[in-house]
Amino acid sequence: MPRRAFTLIELLVVIGIIALLVALLLPTLGRAKSAALFLGCQTNMRSIGQAVRTFALDNNGRKPPAAYRLDRGKWISQAAGPNTRMDNRPFGLGVLVDQDYLVFEALQDHGRNMALDREIDLEKWRTSRTSGSSYLYFYRNFRETTDITDPLRGFPKGDPTSIYTLDHAADMHQHALVSDVNLDDAVGYTGAFEGGVPWVSHPEEGRSNFLFLDGSVGTADNNNMVIAGSADDKQRARNLQVWFDAAHRLYDGR
């Protein structure tokens, strides 16, 4: 019996059906990939949480210090930041990497919007005196006051590492520890210290992740958790405090 070949019309129909199926499946595959990256960020945070608790057990309950003492005796510390090395000294979550509690890759958010930052962060960690990460680390706890206009509330003089412990933060109901923070365009840094590029947490999912003191991870809508930038130092501090309060309330409101 002679074989019957496909006609041109039949081939075009088959190709059209395949193209239609691909068009239908691609958005689903893209959403699945975004969801996987979002969950990967949460996995990073749980690793960070375990490392923080292990560090605290070995260091009288203290948080990894985002502080250091200058030769002339003055202490330099931050309320929060993505910094992992400052003035060629391990800083914040970078202390965990330097002391082998954590691998640096756990400080890199694998979201597609952070691809360039990941490369810069890793290179700077290896070669630079100053480096950053994908995550914002909350270090200094504010004292209990309703006066959010006080830009320096809760910042003690002297050695800050003795007061900033996991227990101190919990006693003050300040449970937020780490965030893949969502910054507005006016904030002049990202995890890689490259100005002019907004740092947006998981835009495909529209969500931000937060690690809490007890090691649990929560999420919030990006639109509700944006740190507003300001050219004025005091106003920037107030904006940061308001954002901190909202992040801490996420723990109580879950």
Side-chain angles (χ1 to χ4, degrees):
M1 295 290 292
R3 293 184 178 180
R4 179 179 179 275
F6 286 108
T7 66
L8 177 60
I9 294 177
E10 289 172 332
L11 285 173
L12 291 175
V13 170
V14 170
I15 292 171
I17 293 173
I18 292 174
L20 178 61
L21 291 174
V22 169
L24 292 173
L25 289 174
L26 278 178
T28 302
L29 293 174
R31 286 192 296 271
K33 183 175 181 179
S34 296
L37 296 173
F38 187 67
L39 292 175
C41 172
Q42 295 180 345
T43 299
N44 278 355
M45 287 193 169
R46 292 187 179 95
S47 297
I48 296 170
Q50 182 61 48
V52 168
R53 292 194 297 277
T54 304
F55 177 92
L57 286 173
D58 293 340
N59 293 272
N60 299 316
R62 298 183 183 187
K63 293 180 177 180
Y68 59 88
R69 189 175 184 176
L70 297 175
D71 294 337
R72 60 182 181 272
K74 180 181 178 181
W75 280 87
I76 302 297
S77 62
Q78 288 188 336
N83 307 302
T84 52
R85 182 178 282 114
M86 297 285 288
D87 296 329
N88 211 29
R89 313 181 202 198
F91 197 77
L93 296 179
V95 174
L96 298 174
V97 179
D98 183 70
Q99 298 188 18
D100 296 325
Y101 289 94
L102 192 70
V103 296
F104 187 80
E105 285 72 18
L107 299 180
Q108 296 184 290
D109 190 329
H110 290 282
R112 282 176 283 187
N113 61 314
M114 296 297 290
L116 178 59
D117 272 3
R118 285 197 302 274
E119 295 178 13
I120 297 173
D121 285 337
L122 185 56
E123 178 66 17
K124 286 192 172 184
W125 171 256
R126 291 170 174 168
T127 64
S128 178
R129 294 177 58 88
T130 303
S131 59
S133 75
S134 303
Y135 297 112
L136 188 77
Y137 171 47
F138 306 154
Y139 178 56
R140 299 195 297 196
N141 303 114
F142 299 130
R143 63 175 176 261
E144 293 176 320
T145 175
T146 57
D147 183 12
I148 65 171
T149 65
D150 176 4
L152 299 178
R153 60 175 179 162
F155 297 173
K157 296 180 180 180
D159 181 357
T161 64
S162 61
I163 188 174
Y164 294 125
T165 66
L166 299 186
D167 286 343
H168 177 248
D171 289 344
M172 297 180 70
H173 303 286
Q174 296 182 349
H175 292 272
L177 185 64
V178 174
S179 170
D180 54 354
V181 65
N182 191 27
L183 304 177
D184 75 5
D185 292 355
V187 177
Y189 70 86
T190 70
F193 296 95
E194 298 297 317
V197 181
W199 183 0
V200 181
S201 305
H202 302 282
E204 298 88 356
E205 296 294 314
R207 306 287 293 177
S208 301
N209 286 319
F210 292 85
L211 169 69
F212 300 108
L213 292 175
D214 63 2
S216 62
V217 175
T219 72
D221 190 297
N222 274 347
N223 293 326
N224 297 332
M225 296 301 300
V226 179
I227 297 181
S230 173
D232 178 77
D233 288 342
K234 288 186 177 180
Q235 184 59 49
R236 184 164 57 249
R238 295 179 189 123
N239 293 345
L240 193 61
Q241 290 173 23
V242 171
W243 189 86
F244 279 165
D245 291 339
H248 297 313
R249 283 196 300 270
L250 286 174
Y251 181 83
D252 296 324
R254 289 181 306 162

